[in-house]
């Protein structure tokens, strides 16, 4: 079954890259990572570039969506779930990382 990792983010582009990288460092990588930016005030251009590079190095698709208005982490998680294509949804906050073999 396909696994989607859902990552809401707000104003932590550097932490986001570390969080997503931890999902791609797993012994079994997810099929996709869906990042939803909850209308951050900070630029995510550098982070998005790094995410594209990470995605190209793996078989995992990393998708980024930016909300037009801030609605909070729960709204961003729900939006990520709506956009996910996997049958199994796993959640990861942007300021957290997964240990290997999760």
């Amino acid at each position: 079954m396909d696994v989607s990792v859902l990552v809401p983010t707000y104003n932590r582009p550097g932490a986001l890259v570390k969080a997503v990288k931890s999902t791609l460092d797993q012994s079994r990588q997810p099929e996709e990572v869906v990042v939803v930016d909850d209308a951050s005030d900070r630029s995510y251009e550098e982070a998005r570039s790094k995410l594209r590079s990470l995605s190209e190095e793996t078989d995992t698709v990393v998708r980024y969506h930016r909300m037009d208005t801030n609605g909070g982490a729960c709204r961003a998680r729900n939006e990520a779930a709506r956009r996910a294509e996997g049958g199994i949804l796993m959640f990861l906050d942007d300021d957290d990382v997964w240990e290997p073999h999760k």
Side-chain angles (χ1 to χ4, degrees), residues 7 15-24 33 35 51 54 62 92:
V7 187
L16 171 67
V17 172
K18 290 177 187 173
V20 171
K21 185 170 182 338
S22 78
T23 70
L24 303 178
V33 177
V35 175
L51 294 178
L54 289 172
V62 179
L92 176 64

Side-chain angles (χ1 to χ4, degrees), residues 37-93:
D37 178 349
D38 192 24
S40 294
D41 301 322
R42 296 181 61 192
S43 172
Y44 271 71
E45 288 309 310
E46 184 177 342
R48 290 179 68 189
S49 176
K50 289 178 181 177
L51 294 178
R52 278 190 293 276
S53 293
L54 289 172
S55 179
E56 291 171 0
E57 295 170 6
T58 67
D59 291 330
T60 301
V61 174
V62 179
R63 293 188 288 129
Y64 174 91
H65 173 74
R66 186 177 191 284
M67 304 291 284
D68 291 331
T69 58
N70 181 274
C74 292
R75 181 174 165 225
R77 280 187 197 93
N78 287 337
E79 181 64 22
R82 189 182 71 73
R83 292 174 174 274
E85 296 177 5
I88 297 173
L89 305 182
M90 299 181 76
F91 295 86
L92 176 64
D93 290 338

Side-chain angles (χ1 to χ4, degrees), residues 25-42:
D25 288 341
Q26 298 298 307
S27 55
R28 186 211 185 273
Q29 295 177 344
E31 280 66 36
E32 72 173 345
V33 177
V34 180
V35 175
V36 174
D37 178 349
D38 192 24
S40 294
D41 301 322
R42 296 181 61 192

